[in-house]
Amino acid sequence: MPLNTGACIAVYSSENLLHEKVKETFALYDDLAKKLYALCLLMKSQKTLELKNFDNALLDYILAWDAAFPGKPYFNKLHFLMMHLPDFVEEYGICGRVSAESHESVHTMMAKSKEAMKRMASTKQKYRTLFARATANSSSIFSSTETVNGEEYLVLFGGQGRIHSKYRDQFLYVKTGRAPDDWVDGFLQTELQYCNDIVHSNIAAMQ
């Protein structure tokens, strides 16, 4: 029994009529916490998630909630978990893998790359170097393809789920910092236009 649960139950002596009521109530709270923990483990997992396992854990939590708080309305995030997240898990076979936490390590990689390139005078060379480093290990990101409901999906290496093939470039950008080629072209064109504007401004100022 958790210490805080024991402390709450001990408020009333065993002879008090409220003792058993408090004990039963905190037993329901304890069960709810365990069901929530099991559900959160699946939601935070970086591995492939089977829909039936997620549905079972979610149902266990909902039943525990109803037992602990009978008649109480579901909070907004629980509604989201019940009505929307199962469809997402069914389509992509993942949950925690697409959270922001799984991509935070990219920031460290990008910062190191920028530090290494800050002395490069050519913007074009900076882009090329950055994106070359970003995609150095991209071959190990996707392992195969599969079809789900007539749509093509890319299977992530190491049993990490799948993504729709149309989001490949966006996924690589978030995962590795590698921008799609058309974005890179846009960056370079913007930089060239900026340089041309400066040259024209300097010429105009000298006339």
Side-chain angles (χ1 to χ4, degrees), residues 185-197:
D185 292 338
F187 296 154
L188 294 176
Q189 290 300 321
T190 300
E191 178 66 17
L192 290 174
Q193 183 62 49
Y194 173 73
C195 293
N196 288 334
D197 290 344

Side-chain angles (χ1 to χ4, degrees), residues 84-171:
H84 304 292
L85 200 53
D87 291 337
F88 183 91
V89 173
E90 181 179 20
E91 180 174 358
Y92 296 105
I94 47 178
C95 187
R97 189 69 187 172
V98 295
S99 69
E101 295 176 3
S102 64
H103 306 298
E104 288 179 353
S105 60
V106 175
H107 297 302
T108 301
M109 181 273 291
M110 294 289 286
K112 291 181 179 179
S113 296
K114 289 180 180 179
E115 178 66 22
M117 296 181 298
K118 67 180 182 180
R119 294 180 178 82
M120 294 182 182
S122 170
T123 300
K124 188 174 184 178
Q125 183 61 36
K126 288 181 180 180
Y127 283 131
R128 286 179 173 175
T129 303
L130 176 62
F131 298 144
R133 293 188 179 192
T135 55
N137 298 315
S138 61
S139 60
S140 62
I141 294 177
F142 304 117
S143 62
S144 62
T145 61
E146 62 184 21
T147 302
V148 180
N149 296 325
E151 300 284 340
E152 184 183 62
Y153 286 76
L154 299 170
V155 179
L156 302 179
F157 186 83
Q160 300 171 3
R162 57 180 176 262
I163 64 167
H164 198 289
S165 59
K166 67 182 179 181
Y167 299 126
R168 180 184 184 278
D169 287 345
Q170 289 84 349
F171 182 84

Side-chain angles (χ1 to χ4, degrees), residues 74-81:
Y74 298 137
F75 50 93
N76 289 338
K77 288 189 177 181
L78 181 53
H79 165 80
F80 174 81
L81 295 182

Side-chain angles (χ1 to χ4, degrees), residues 62-77:
I62 293 172
L63 293 175
W65 172 277
D66 289 339
F69 304 106
K72 294 291 184 180
Y74 298 137
F75 50 93
N76 289 338
K77 288 189 177 181

Side-chain angles (χ1 to χ4, degrees), residues 48-71:
T48 300
L49 179 59
E50 295 291 337
L51 178 61
K52 64 179 181 179
N53 295 334
F54 178 78
D55 280 346
N56 288 337
L58 179 58
L59 180 59
D60 288 343
Y61 176 72
I62 293 172
L63 293 175
W65 172 277
D66 289 339
F69 304 106

